[in-house]
Amino acid sequence: LSSIQVGVLAEKLSKSSSEVIKKLMLLGIMATINQEIDFDTASMVAEEFGYAVVEAKEESIEEKLNIDEKDEPKDLVKRPPVITVMGHVDHGKTSLLDAIRKTKVTEREAGGITQHIGAYTVKVDGETITFLDTPGHEAFTAMRSRGASITDIAILVVAADDGVMPQTIEAINHAKAANVPIIVAINKIDKPAANPDRVKQELTEHGLLVEEWGGDIISVAVSAHTGEGLDQLLEMILLVAEMQELKANPNRRAKGSIVEAQLDKGRGTVATLLIETGTIHVGDSVVAGVSHGKVRAMVDDKGKRVKEAGPSMPVEIIGLSEVPSAGDTFYVVEDDKISRQIAETKKEEIREQHIHQTQRLSLEDLFNQI
Ligand code: GTP
Ligand code: MG
């Protein structure tokens, strides 16, 4: 709270409103009983009456939940790497993932353009890898940056016949901003017009120097169509992941990110979560932004019903009260009462922010008119 009504302040100080108004006048402030005064002014008045004033520190949700406490090193176990596939539109991100999963996701997409982040896991040499597919279309900038922030490694897909394009550069910047290592997949090398060297040359112009040219960026030439280079790409992913020593504590309440969410006619809110740490179970109480609820059912990325899911796993859950925003952090909390309370606090915060913003906006408008 950064302001208080004069009348309310008087009550708190066990003084009459006129006494407070008098003190304010002595401080050079003309105020009425219903007027809001700011924290500094209120504390001056309180001090005049002999009170000491301390500003109450807003406890963050994490503190309230005590959920972000550090894990003991002994509780940490290896977790799968989370890989985000990024790159310019139509450079073959979804096809590459398809080829890796040997399924056919591209055919199901509207117009072959990815409109959301798909999340999948694959097993390679007994190791699990979690992949996030992101859209390359320029309208989806926000989604891409979200993808970069929840990822351990970024695969930058560049079509060998097209080269570095605007969304390639954007993806590079997101990965750099998130401090995520980049592996370059030079795709479509089966095409006659493919020119991997030109791609490498263009990448140097954006600060990425490939290993064979003396830099530290791993690049792999691949074809989603023929399958060439895919094994090598997976090998590189596991190698880089190995160096990161990725760990999490599966034995705690789950925390992670909302990857995507929408309203389904029959099932209500359907949300895809990526678990960062802990284990989520059917029946858990969850809060994500302004949304809360109990996990009624959960399916994995293969569409199979599961009862629980651990670190780095993507799952789809139903049971949330409303659609959370992609990128929201979700927390499993002790019970429904707490999740509802947090969601409502969040809503209130957003409402207040909104009021402040509109107020500021009208002030600026005023300025513009002068
Ligand atoms: P967005 O999700 O819209 O950004 O596109 P994307 O990067 O996921 O590309 P997508 O996988 O949808 O592929 C785009 C087109 O390129 C499709 O027609 C694919 O068949 C084609 N394509 C993808 N990979 C290859 C490849 O290795 N070789 C050839 N010849 N064509 C490819
Ligand atoms: Mg795609």
Side-chain angles (χ1 to χ4, degrees):
L1 223 75
S2 54
S3 67
I4 188 167
Q5 263 185 4
V6 170
V8 177
L9 177 65
E11 223 167 89
K12 283 195 193 289
L13 297 171
S14 323
K15 301 284 166 194
S16 71
S17 300
S18 58
E19 279 177 288
V20 170
I21 290 171
K22 253 186 234 156
K23 280 279 187 242
L24 280 166
M25 267 160 75
L26 289 176
L27 293 167
I29 296 158
M30 297 301 194
T32 59
I33 181 162
N34 291 322
Q35 200 159 325
E36 296 267 336
I37 55 173
D38 63 22
F39 175 81
D40 289 337
T41 312
S43 19
M44 276 195 279
V45 172
E47 273 159 19
E48 289 280 317
F49 286 117
Y51 287 88
V53 182
V54 283
E55 195 164 11
K57 194 175 144 278
E58 225 3 280
E59 233 187 349
S60 71
I61 288 176
E62 286 82 353
E63 280 168 335
K64 273 188 201 138
L65 297 178
N66 199 20
I67 200 165
D68 260 355
E69 58 184 320
K70 285 269 177 287
D71 291 308
E72 294 286 325
K74 65 170 170 56
D75 295 329
L76 297 177
V77 296
K78 191 173 169 186
R79 67 165 175 86
V82 178
I83 316 295
T84 300
V85 184
M86 305 172 105
H88 195 72
V89 65
D90 276 353
H91 277 199
K93 299 173 290 296
T94 305
S95 303
L96 212 54
L97 268 179
D98 274 358
I100 289 170
R101 299 188 310 140
K102 298 184 182 69
T103 56
K104 294 271 174 217
V105 181
T106 12
E107 283 175 7
R108 292 209 309 261
E109 290 181 348
I113 288 182
T114 302
Q115 299 183 351
H116 58 86
I117 302 182
Y120 318 98
T121 62
V122 294
K123 266 225 149 82
V124 180
D125 300 336
E127 305 270 351
T128 301
I129 303 177
T130 299
F131 284 102
L132 298 179
D133 187 9
T134 67
H137 194 276
E138 59 185 330
F140 300 108
T141 301
M143 266 185 230
R144 259 195 310 283
S145 69
R146 257 177 245 131
S149 59
I150 52 180
T151 194
D152 300 308
I153 299 168
I155 302 294
L156 182 68
V157 177
V158 189
D161 61 337
D162 203 23
V164 171
M165 297 298 278
Q167 273 74 54
T168 316
I169 299 167
E170 203 192 280
I172 293 173
N173 292 336
H174 285 314
K176 278 185 180 165
N179 209 6
V180 169
I182 295 173
I183 297 176
V184 177
I186 302 178
N187 191 31
K188 308 196 187 184
I189 50 157
D190 59 285
K191 282 195 155 186
N195 188 348
D197 276 348
R198 197 192 80 194
V199 173
K200 290 174 195 168
Q201 176 57 46
E202 288 168 352
L203 286 172
T204 61
E205 288 160 27
H206 298 280
L208 301 186
L209 190 60
V210 294
E211 278 183 330
E212 55 270 42
W213 291 2
D216 57 3
I217 298 295
I218 297 170
S219 84
V220 185
V222 296
S223 165
H225 279 192
T226 68
E228 190 180 340
L230 293 185
D231 286 339
Q232 204 194 338
L233 179 64
L234 292 170
E235 208 176 290
M236 289 303 154
I237 291 171
L238 289 177
L239 193 79
V240 174
E242 192 67 35
M243 291 192 299
Q244 289 181 320
E245 295 183 32
L246 304 165
K247 285 178 178 171
N249 176 5
N251 297 312
R252 57 177 276 177
R253 288 199 198 110
K255 176 197 164 187
S257 304
I258 303 288
V259 175
E260 59 180 324
Q262 65 270 331
L263 201 60
D264 180 279
K265 260 200 193 141
R267 296 183 295 165
T269 300
V270 181
T272 303
L273 319 180
L274 180 70
I275 296 141
E276 269 167 42
T277 186
T279 298
I280 191 169
H281 311 83
V282 169
D284 277 352
S285 297
V286 176
V287 57
V290 297
S291 176
H292 66 92
K294 249 188 168 49
V295 179
R296 278 196 281 126
M298 190 153 63
V299 291
D300 68 11
D301 61 301
K302 317 278 189 299
K304 204 179 99 212
R305 269 182 177 255
V306 288
K307 287 224 149 53
E308 56 172 43
S312 298
M313 288 295 115
V315 279
E316 206 175 74
I317 66 159
I318 55 173
L320 289 178
S321 60
E322 54 194 281
V323 180
S325 304
D328 275 349
T329 303
F330 79 83
Y331 299 94
V332 167
V333 296
E334 206 173 325
D335 55 40
D336 282 354
K337 226 178 90 191
I338 298 177
S339 63
R340 190 175 327 119
Q341 195 190 337
I342 295 166
E344 263 151 31
T345 311
K346 198 88 211 183
K347 242 184 217 169
E348 194 57 41
E349 263 174 34
I350 289 171
R351 203 171 303 139
E352 268 173 28
Q353 257 171 26
H354 190 75
I355 291 167
H356 279 300
Q357 265 162 13
T358 30
Q359 277 171 352
R360 198 171 310 141
L361 211 74
S362 47
L363 261 181
E364 271 165 24
D365 290 347
L366 213 67
F367 253 100
N368 288 339
Q369 281 169 14
I370 294 168

